Amino acid sequence: MVHGRSWQAHSFGEPKDVLRVEEVEWAAPTPGRVLVKVRVCGVGLPDLLMTTGAYPPLPQPPVVPGQEVAGEVVAAPAGSAFTVGDRVMGSTAFVEGWGGYSDYAYLREAKTVGIPAAMTDEEAAGFVIGFRTAYAGLCDRVRVASGEVLLVLGAAGNTGASAVQLGKALGATVIATAGTEEKLEFCTRIGADNVVNHRTEDVAEAVLAITAGRGADVV
């Protein structure tokens, strides 16, 4: 049993109105999960949606936001692939009220992986969901091929940025859209071949111009 703090909401509403820090106890993890000391927690749109009551998997409070974290294993059940002290990243048990906006979090072992030494905690905390989503779209569903043109909308967000990087790794020519110059510069830094400001340009026309009339193979 460990003790710590956790941001919790016992009613739906704007985060600033309903989230409160509470003292919580975490019991030893049951089979299929590990308990980690949270170093960094990813923050995403679903955290806002679940707090305001607009996230279907959480139809009623209480709510503890935080879908993914990077941290250090502090307890693992017998037979676990992880041991105390392991540095890991993964998806939390937020649907059960054990999200990552806390000192500790339960991670689902099937959704947990070790953090490579070259990756920072901040990078790891935003990796699992974004890249798993991008992989599902570009490898499981569409299977982007080398030499194809990939258009990523909203490319400066977590999943969009993941799709840009994964698309480049798959050998695609990547066109990224975003709404500010700062975001477009970010997309270029992470590998986009071309960028389009969707607030000031017609995206379809820009893509046709970039590809000499060919257009995108995958959007």
Side-chain angles (χ1 to χ4, degrees):
M1 184 82 69
V2 296
H3 303 260
R5 302 161 299 169
S6 177
W7 283 100
Q8 307 212 349
H10 293 276
S11 61
F12 289 137
E14 292 300 315
K16 64 183 178 64
D17 298 325
V18 298
L19 284 173
R20 299 288 184 273
V21 177
E22 299 184 11
E23 294 293 323
V24 177
E25 292 183 344
W26 287 263
T30 55
R33 60 178 59 181
V34 294
L35 181 62
V36 303
K37 171 68 174 175
V38 176
R39 290 180 175 175
V40 182
C41 178
V43 177
L45 178 60
D47 297 316
L48 173 63
L49 297 179
M50 68 179 72
T51 305
T52 56
Y55 196 66
L58 285 169
Q60 61 188 23
V63 173
V64 181
Q67 292 185 303
E68 57 182 332
V69 303
E72 179 182 331
V73 175
V74 295
S80 172
F82 301 97
T83 59
V84 173
D86 284 349
R87 186 168 165 254
V88 298
M89 54 183 169
S91 299
T92 68
F94 68 95
V95 173
E96 302 165 39
W98 300 102
Y101 286 19
S102 309
D103 285 330
Y104 297 89
Y106 293 114
L107 295 187
R108 293 174 289 167
E109 185 161 335
K111 301 290 186 180
T112 301
V113 294
I115 301 175
M119 182 179 283
T120 67
D121 290 338
E122 290 77 11
E123 291 168 338
F127 182 88
V128 173
I129 291 177
F131 274 90
R132 180 65 189 94
T133 304
Y135 188 91
L138 303 184
C139 298
D140 290 339
R141 298 290 181 87
V142 178
R143 298 185 181 179
V144 171
S146 178
E148 290 187 322
V149 176
L150 168 66
L151 171 63
V152 180
L153 307 177
N158 186 30
T159 301
S162 300
V164 169
Q165 296 171 79
L166 181 57
K168 289 301 298 178
L170 293 169
T173 295
V174 178
I175 303 172
T177 75
T180 68
E181 290 306 311
E182 181 181 14
K183 290 180 178 180
L184 293 175
E185 291 172 3
F186 166 72
C187 292
T188 299
R189 288 201 308 273
I190 62 174
D193 298 286
N194 298 275
V195 294
V196 178
N197 188 324
H198 65 75
R199 297 188 187 278
T200 61
E201 301 178 73
D202 182 295
V203 174
E205 290 182 1
V207 171
L208 288 173
I210 291 168
T211 60
R214 171 185 171 181
D217 297 293
V218 178
V219 180

